Amino acid sequence: MPNRIIKESIRTSKSINKLTDFQFRLWTYLITYVDDYGRGSADPELLKGFVFPRRKGVTESNIKAGLTDLACAGLIHLYEVDGEPYLCFPTWAKHQRIQQKQSKFPAPDDAPPKSTVGHGDPPPESESKSEYESESKNISAEPEADSTPPVIELPLNDGTMYPISQEQCQEWAGLYPAVNVIQQLRQMRGWLDSNPTKRKTKRGINRFITGWLARTQDKGGDKHHGTTIQSAYPELAERI
């Protein structure tokens, strides 16, 4: 595995500096793990051994949650091929040297057709400006929401699930900067699972989500993570 390049711009990158210590460590370690095309398995069981071989306290659940957080931030792209989970770095070819002729891992289904490239040439998908590239010099990019699996799903009152896309998470993260959107969505899922009679309609679920996030922002944001809606926002739970 060749050495990787990490640019000094990460010190001032807004998306990077919003990461927790664990998310940043995972993101950094993944850079050294993926192949020459910026792709790799997203199976937490495999990543536990390859990415955190000496950190016994890191669990597969930690890794799974961390991957979701990084995808929501636009720093990686999660996808499946033949039922297997994979990840890739959206603008890898802009920042790393490509030395292998082809990737060891499949490309996302909606990427351009695969082909081989010469040593030192960019991968074939970098030749066209797909959604996996960005004109920005940042490492991150925003994949199209409908081409990626949902970050999380919330149960509705009709028994169906409402999918939350990466694009929606990024929008809410911008609207509520003091809030860890992913963590709050997990708390919403837990509350809705525990209170099936108070689940929302498809039309009302977005109002429920934004109301929850707005209250969390107004009450100080991240410092209230870990509180339950019953203890922190009892009036919100009943009204929305």
Side-chain angles (χ1 to χ4, degrees), residues 161-179:
M161 302 297 288
Y162 180 76
I164 306 295
S165 69
Q166 295 179 17
E167 184 179 40
Q168 287 173 298
C169 288
Q170 291 169 336
E171 180 181 356
W172 291 327
L175 292 172
Y176 309 104
V179 177

Side-chain angles (χ1 to χ4, degrees), residues 151-192:
V151 173
I152 194 171
E153 293 182 318
L154 300 181
L156 300 176
N157 66 351
D158 61 0
T160 63
M161 302 297 288
Y162 180 76
I164 306 295
S165 69
Q166 295 179 17
E167 184 179 40
Q168 287 173 298
C169 288
Q170 291 169 336
E171 180 181 356
W172 291 327
L175 292 172
Y176 309 104
V179 177
N180 183 327
V181 172
I182 292 295
Q183 179 61 30
Q184 292 301 325
L185 286 169
R186 293 192 189 112
Q187 290 190 19
M188 292 179 212
R189 172 63 184 267
W191 186 83
L192 291 169

Side-chain angles (χ1 to χ4, degrees), residues 19 23 64-74 180 182-183 186:
L19 300 178
Q23 292 164 359
K64 183 177 181 180
L67 292 175
T68 300
D69 292 339
L70 293 179
C72 183
N180 183 327
I182 292 295
Q183 179 61 30
R186 293 192 189 112

